[in-house]
Structures are given as C-alpha cells and as structure tokens.
Amino acid sequence: MRLVLVGPPGAGKGTQAQFIASNLSIPKISTGDIFRANVSGGTELGKLAKTYMDRGDLVPDEVTIAMVRDRLGEDDAQDGFLLDGFPRNVRQAEILRDMLKDWGQALDLVLNLVVDDDEVVRRLAGRRTCGQCGRIWHVEFDDKKDDVCDACGGKLFQRDDDKEDTVRHRLEVYQEQTAPLISFYADEGILKGVDATGPVEEITQRAMEVLRPFAG
C-alpha cells in the first residue's frame, strides 16, 4: 500500500505514522529521516542539503524531491510505503504523482488526521520540557502542577514554539500551505479523513478501519 499522511502540527502524525506503518508492514518514510540519513551518510544530496541547513535556510524543493525519489527507489519501498511530511504543497504532490506514474505506480490513499485548532493549542501549549534530561511533560495530561521534572528533578520550561501565539501562527501557515494540498487529493479521489482526537490507540483503530479496504 502506498500512503501519505497529512495533518496539522500537534495532530500526532509521527506517532500514528509509526503505528500504521508497523500494522501494514511498510516502511515509514519521513523527510526528517531522509535528511538525517543523507547528511550522516555523507551523500552528495546530503552535503548539498547541509550547506543550506548550516546557513539556516530552507532546503530547496529540488533537493528534497531528489532525496525522496532515491528513498522510494530502495528495495523496501517497492511493495508500499507511508510518507510523513511529504508532499507539503501542491507542486510537490504533482511531482510525486508523476514520479510514481513513471514507475507504473500510484498512491492508494491520503489519510488526513483531522483535529481542530483549539485542541492543537491545548496539546502543544500545555507541553513543558525538562532543561536537564529533555523529557516532555504536559500540564494537563500529566497533571503537572509544578515546574520540576519527576524523572530527574530538572527545571521545566516552555519552548518558544510551544507558546500559544506561536502555535496559532504555525496553524495559520499550515492552513495556507496545506488546504490546497488537501483539496488537490480530494479532487484526485484518494483523500480520507480520520478524527484525530482522543487516546492514541483509538485514533490508530479509526485509521486502520479506514485503511482496511485499501490494504488488500
């Protein structure tokens, strides 16, 4: 099965991608993993990407797409894959479609994790990170009433990108960039939405119920 996972920041894409890929026995492929593998492996694409990353610049689409093409060409992805974090816009989606078409393949499904903005803010703005061991706690889900890490005693802090104003801005950017992508896949007839609220296990169950008819 060839699958793309989309959803706003805080929707739990990374967690669900891991569970879904494991259930379907296909590799989970994220752009972050691809970048790290290329950079640590010293590939030509990795060296090129690193020049942008070291300057704090975004890696151009062309470099990202070339890395994705190489990864999808590997043996373990021939019978299916789950893409997380790619494509991010309609242009990338069109290139991915054409790439797969050249290989006699096509996406089976695009799974959209649906969660409203207030729930995303609740999830992300409630996170606190330990400055000593790096563990993440949540003021609501972990019932944290103090600013001390229960694991190591370190002091907890709120990362800048977890602050409410920043989270809401990230959601605005996501809507601007991804709403056209979701429309694109809806028009292709391969988009399915999954309610991404509630316990992780329940969300995975909902996703698998949607995927079952497509998984053969």
Side-chain angles (χ1 to χ4, degrees), residues 71-91:
R71 180 64 185 89
L72 294 183
E74 293 181 16
D75 289 345
D76 68 336
Q78 297 315 296
D79 293 327
F81 53 78
L82 185 155
L83 276 171
D84 171 23
F86 183 91
R88 289 188 181 275
N89 53 52
V90 171
R91 178 174 178 267

Side-chain angles (χ1 to χ4, degrees), residues 44-190:
E44 290 305 312
L45 286 171
K47 292 174 185 174
L48 183 57
K50 194 171 186 299
T51 62
Y52 291 95
M53 293 158 68
D54 287 347
R55 293 199 302 262
D57 294 336
L58 290 174
V59 178
D61 266 5
E62 289 69 23
V63 179
T64 302
I65 290 162
M67 286 186 181
V68 171
R69 181 182 289 110
D70 284 354
R71 180 64 185 89
L72 294 183
E74 293 181 16
D75 289 345
D76 68 336
Q78 297 315 296
D79 293 327
F81 53 78
L82 185 155
L83 276 171
D84 171 23
F86 183 91
R88 289 188 181 275
N89 53 52
V90 171
R91 178 174 178 267
Q92 290 182 355
E94 291 171 339
I95 290 170
L96 175 63
R97 178 187 61 193
D98 294 343
M99 183 194 310
L100 292 174
K101 186 177 180 180
D102 288 344
W103 296 342
Q105 302 173 0
L107 288 177
D108 294 296
L109 198 67
V110 175
L111 201 63
N112 181 27
L113 297 183
V114 180
V115 57
D116 67 41
D117 288 359
D118 288 340
E119 174 64 15
V120 168
V121 171
R122 174 171 164 256
R123 291 179 184 181
L124 298 186
R127 297 197 303 196
R128 299 293 183 270
T129 303
C130 177
Q132 189 163 300
C133 72
R135 181 163 175 173
I136 295 174
W137 301 88
H138 198 281
V139 295
E140 184 178 343
F141 307 147
D142 293 312
D143 194 26
K144 289 297 295 172
K145 302 301 184 189
D146 54 26
D147 60 354
V148 176
C149 176
D150 293 349
C152 74
K155 187 173 178 59
L156 302 182
F157 69 97
Q158 185 180 36
R159 288 173 22 178
D160 287 343
D161 58 353
D162 284 340
K163 291 178 178 175
E164 181 171 346
D165 288 349
T166 306
V167 172
R168 291 199 181 276
H169 176 68
R170 289 169 64 195
L171 286 168
E172 288 173 6
V173 171
Y174 174 80
Q175 291 299 334
E176 289 171 7
Q177 294 180 347
T178 311
L181 180 64
I182 290 172
S183 297
F184 172 84
Y185 281 126
D187 290 344
E188 295 268 300
I190 56 173

Side-chain angles (χ1 to χ4, degrees), residues 29-38 84-85 88:
I29 300 172
S30 75
T31 47
D33 292 342
I34 294 172
F35 274 32
R36 283 186 289 273
N38 276 271
D84 171 23
R88 289 188 181 275

